[in-house]
């Protein structure tokens, strides 16, 4: 992850992320900002959620799981290493931890819990809040290398996973089968398969993705080579680029439109500006 700005000011969907039935599945970590609603369950390496985050399914973390106060998980929480559960968290199923469990007051776990390591009942530090406040401070004083080192130590299990970006869901976001709705930019990596309309400030979709929904942004939208968008692509004040061999199975509405070689738009094109065909701006660069 690049830390040139607030780490939670963008929806980041890393390469290979998929929505499988009722879960979002990724190879790396999952970071969920405070007061966000994830209508899916999540499966990843380490799962960290800020204050008041809600999950509509189960959480499965191969590594650690950290849930700050007032989080709500509709189903089970299964943790491969250690768990840190803040006060007043609600778990609708069972909490099962392979390592140590650090748990706060007034936690409700409807089907009970078990941990193979130590169990400490107290009020754990709100990890997400501390982590990102500290990171923002480091960035403000120009300590980019220190910030990167901190994140590497907290979020990476070993050197083999060092290049795996986390799935980042910003604060106050809503992610579900109906829509991935954020008030920030959205970046979707390569080879992703997602269900739901994407609503963001700007949208950048990588190569060879399948998005089963529409794209709508205030600013620019980019669709990578070989990607399929099963819906409309609409921007209020920006331009649209559609990469080579990409296909939009719906309408396109934008300012300027650039279509790469063999790109297709099945619906109606409404472009207030110019339409360029054959080469996208990124290919020219």
């Amino acid at each position: 992850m690049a830390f040139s700005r607030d780490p939670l000011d963008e929806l980041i969907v890393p390469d290979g992320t998929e929505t499988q039935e009722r879960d979002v599945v990724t190879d790396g970590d999952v970071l969920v900002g405070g007061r966000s609603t994830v209508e899916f369950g999540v499966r990843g390496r380490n799962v960290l959620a800020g204050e008041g985050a809600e999950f509509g399914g189960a959480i499965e973390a191969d590594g650690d799981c950290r849930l700050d106060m007032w989080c709500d998980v509709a189903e089970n929480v299964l943790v491969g290493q250690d768990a840190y559960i803040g006060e007043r968290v609600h778990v609708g199923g069972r909490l099962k931890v392979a390592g140590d469990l650090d748990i706060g007051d007034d936690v409700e776990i409807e089907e009970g819990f078990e941990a193979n390591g130590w169990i400490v009942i107290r009020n754990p530090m709100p990890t997400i809040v501390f982590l990102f406040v500290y990171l923002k401070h480091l960035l403000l004083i120009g300590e980019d290398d220190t910030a990167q080192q901190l994140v590497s130590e907290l979020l990476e299990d070993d050197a083999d996973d060092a290049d795996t970006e986390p799935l980042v869901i910003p604060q106050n976001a809503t992610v579900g089968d109906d829509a991935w709705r954020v008030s920030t930019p959205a970046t979707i990596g390569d080879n992703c398969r997602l269900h739901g309309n994407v609503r963001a400030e700007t949208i950048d979709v990588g190569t060879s993705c399948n998005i089963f929904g529409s794209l709508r942004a205030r600013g620019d939208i980019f669709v990578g080579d070989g990607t399929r968008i099963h819906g409309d692509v609409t921007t209020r004040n920006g331009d649209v680029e559609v990469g080579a061999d990409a296909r939009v199975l719906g309408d396109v509405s934008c300012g300027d439109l650039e279509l790469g070689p063999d790109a297709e738009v099945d619906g109606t094109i409404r472009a207030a500006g110019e339409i360029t065909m054959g080469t996208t701006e990124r290919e020219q660069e």
Side-chain angles (χ1 to χ4, degrees):
M1 180 192 294
F3 288 97
S4 58
R5 55 182 183 269
D6 183 343
L8 280 178
D9 73 350
E10 183 176 2
L11 171 67
I12 300 176
V13 181
D15 296 348
T17 299
E18 296 185 355
T19 50
Q20 299 177 1
E21 296 182 354
R22 299 182 59 238
D23 294 331
V24 178
V25 182
T26 187
D27 291 334
D29 301 319
V30 179
L31 308 181
V32 180
R35 298 172 301 280
S36 288
T37 299
V38 181
E39 297 173 2
F40 302 105
V42 297
R43 282 189 272 161
R45 190 169 65 229
N46 300 308
V47 178
L48 293 85
E51 180 178 324
E54 298 182 9
F55 297 84
I59 292 177
E60 297 184 30
D62 294 334
D64 293 346
C65 179
R66 298 171 181 260
L67 303 178
D68 281 348
M69 60 185 346
W70 297 106
C71 283
D72 191 299
V73 184
E75 299 179 11
N76 297 329
V77 177
L78 308 177
V79 185
Q81 295 182 15
D82 300 331
Y84 305 81
I85 309 298
E87 61 183 348
R88 295 180 176 85
V89 167
H90 170 260
V91 177
R94 186 170 184 80
L95 171 63
K96 188 172 182 180
V97 182
D100 298 335
L101 172 61
D102 201 347
I103 191 168
D105 295 332
D106 298 324
V107 173
E108 181 183 3
I109 304 170
E110 294 190 8
E111 297 183 14
F113 68 90
E114 62 180 277
N116 291 335
W118 294 95
I119 299 176
V120 179
I121 300 176
R122 58 176 180 173
N123 290 327
M125 180 178 294
T127 309
I128 288 285
V129 174
F130 172 78
L131 171 61
F132 289 109
V133 167
Y134 184 42
L135 281 173
K136 288 176 72 174
H137 173 71
L138 289 174
L139 294 172
L140 284 173
I141 64 175
E143 294 288 343
D144 291 9
D145 292 342
T146 304
Q148 184 65 58
Q149 182 179 358
L150 172 65
V151 172
S152 297
E153 292 173 354
L154 288 173
L155 302 181
E156 293 170 3
D157 288 340
D158 53 47
D160 292 337
D161 295 319
D163 294 331
T164 303
E165 270 201 310
L167 168 63
V168 178
I169 297 174
Q171 299 178 23
N172 302 305
T174 301
V175 172
D177 235 358
D178 177 60
W180 295 56
R181 193 182 307 275
V182 299
S183 58
T184 67
T187 299
I188 299 171
D190 301 333
N191 301 301
C192 293
R193 182 181 178 89
L194 304 180
H195 289 262
N197 304 310
V198 181
R199 304 287 184 260
E201 187 67 26
T202 61
I203 302 173
D204 191 314
V205 183
T207 62
S208 303
C209 293
N210 259 300
I211 310 296
F212 293 91
S214 62
L215 307 181
R216 181 179 296 171
R218 292 180 181 272
D220 296 342
I221 297 175
F222 177 79
V223 178
D225 296 351
T227 285
R228 299 292 182 267
I229 307 298
H230 298 258
D232 298 335
V233 174
T234 305
T235 172
R236 183 180 300 177
N237 299 311
D239 302 326
V240 170
E241 294 183 41
V242 181
D245 196 39
R247 185 176 181 185
V248 177
L249 287 83
D251 300 339
V252 172
S253 180
C254 60
D256 294 340
L257 172 63
E258 297 187 32
L259 297 173
D262 299 318
E264 298 181 28
V265 176
D266 286 7
T268 301
I269 295 176
R270 301 179 180 88
E274 297 181 350
I275 299 177
T276 305
M277 303 181 66
T279 303
T280 66
E281 183 176 319
R282 296 196 184 193
E283 289 174 332
Q284 293 170 0
E285 294 175 352

